[in-house]
Amino acid sequence: MNRKSLGLIALTLSLVLTGAGCKKKIGAVAPPAPPHKVEIAPKVEAPKLSRPTISSFTAEPSAIEKGNSSTLKWSVKDATKVTITPGVGEVTAMDGSRAVFPGSTTTYRLVAEGAGGTAESSATVTVSDPPPPPVVAPAKVKEDFTTLVSRELADVTFDYDKSDINENGRSVLTRNSDKLKAILADYPSNMLTIEGHCDERGSAEYNLGLGDRRALAAKDFLQQLGLGADRLRTVSYGKERPQCTDATEDCYQKNRRAHFSGN
Amino acid sequence: MKKKLLITLGVCALVGWAQESDFVGKLTGGVRPVIAVPDLRGSGGAQALMSVFNSTLYADLETSGSFKMAPKSNYPIQVPQRPQDFQKPAENAQPTGLWLTGWANPPVSANYLTFGYAAESNGQFVLYGWLYNVKQPDLTNAQMIGKTYLGSLNDVGARKVAHEFAADILKLFGVEGLYGSKIFFVSTRSGTKEIWSMDYDGQNEKQVTVYKTITTMPSVAPDGSRLAFTSYLSGLPQIIVHSAETNRILPFFNQQASMNSNLSFAPDGKRVIYSSSVGGYPNLYGADLNGGNIKRLTSGRFIDVEAKINPKTGSDVMFISGRGGPQQLYRMSIEGTDVERMSTGEGQVSNPSWHPNGAYVAFSWTMGFQPGNFNVFIMDVADRKFVQLTHGAGRNENPSWAPDGRHIAFASNRSGRMQIYSMLADGTQVRQLTSAGRNEMPVWSK
């Protein structure tokens, strides 16, 4: 606070105090009497107690997009206290401005209080949402081939001790082949591995042969659907890598499968 | 020899399989003499090793199947430690353990007695061992063995000495002991399936392969010189051959196929047979020891695996095929001709193993049980009569004949996890040999 404003506060204070002492004289202001005649007259000349006036209170601009600012400007006279709500509070300048950042449409009220009463004015800032940013296509990050294969390609299941493709296997392989054509086109240097697996009931030795047949049957079917044999290889795991080990038909069925791997 | 074979398979099924067929009796020795094997004592540093020694000697004699073991609870209180401990009792006196009749008469009723003692001598474990025929009227002709055995002064030495003493006893009864024979098998204990070996009694387990990938289905040449197995070392199941002596890898040419497996060695040491999917279906191929000079033996839209060449004749082959439906046992000539089904067509059959004499075959079969619940059977190849040796639910697989032709190693999950067991060829004397990790596919080698 500078010296000037301190002086202003002192003056305002003295005016208020003086004014309080002279309440009765409001509205009937006598002309100054000669000093020697009027002993009761205040020694200091009383200020003119006029009602505050707001000559202007504006928001520029009055319409903004969310996130931008508007500037409140005001010009007030004869006020002792100027308050702007919401969000600004008391201001000291009679002629001032203040930038505001309303998040939504807001009506600002300016209240000027003075010895002669109060005055109010309002200014509205209309806030609109900015248009959404343009849709930017995400940068194409190439997914890991192994992950893609394991997510997109379903297992083909087989009947007990069988390696021919059943009804369900045909539909799974048909769906897989469409996806595979796209995947293999996107990844021209990768090979797809078809693993043959068996349930635990047959002997390990026989199941190694059965798993080989299952993987090959799935490969043959995919070739009939137009996939190139040079991109497909097969491996039998027999019953060496079961995905479950319960002695239930549910688990047996899960393990009788051709599984697709990007490894 | 007159055979009292079971009359029909139907009768077999009715009476169950406990009834022994004569060929099993022949294999396991028929009538067995009774032997008494009291615990021997040791002095000095040998003392602490006697429990290892005594249990090894007892187990060797018991599992040989050559003897009936006299129950220990019937033994006399006094036991001789040296020949001079025998004292002929006075006329009409009650015989004690210090005379032949003390063992030959009831309740022991033994034919033979082992006795002796062990001592520490020059830092070694020394056994003074005797075998007496206690049915003899006096000591003149009673002694059959009186011998000193030396071993290192530790468990290994005590075990070795016990094995040697037992082997000497068995030799007298025409039984080739198993001491020195080895069992190759597959174990998961290192994290992946690898080939391991152990002594015939489960001692001295050693890791043979360190390929750190699925390595399984071992087989051994009849002369014990080569070990073959199937490994995913290349990413695909392919055959690898090692020298059994040096454990070095030997050259073997695998056909360009997604699967080459189950190699079997011919007794001539020149040819092998294995299963390959090179033609689209796993069929059987013959080849030289190094994989060259390939000859296709079977051909068809079915699975042929586990070829086993007759170790005696080298001229016929047992194998497992799915050509007629569920996997069954078949036989063919070494040229791939004269294919005939050996099993009845019921259930699933796997894991054929030839008896060293080439006349019998052991295999596993689900007959009478749910798919997957295999039991061990043996068959007289000449007339296809068979006998069931294990009778549990669960899996009993991969029987493999011991070189003595009297024992069979097999894998079973009877205790929860797959472990390796040995038994006498009549299904008795079952003994668990492994316990660490999961263990399977034993192959008994010389």
Side-chain angles (χ1 to χ4, degrees), chain A residues 160 200 212-213 236 239-240, chain B residues 193 232 258 280 348 395:
Chain A
Y160 177 60
E200 65 173 24
D212 192 81
R213 278 307 310 154
S236 172
K239 61 172 183 176
E240 301 294 338
Chain B
K193 287 190 177 177
Y232 285 74
S258 53
Q348 306 156 295
R395 304 178 77 97

Side-chain angles (χ1 to χ4, degrees), chain B residues 78-112:
Chain B
Q78 288 175 291
V79 176
Q81 298 198 79
R82 300 174 297 180
Q84 53 265 47
D85 290 345
F86 283 105
Q87 301 293 333
K88 188 163 188 165
E91 289 285 323
N92 302 325
Q94 191 72 17
T96 70
L98 298 182
W99 189 245
L100 302 175
T101 47
W103 299 93
N105 293 350
V108 187
S109 307
N111 302 93
Y112 302 99

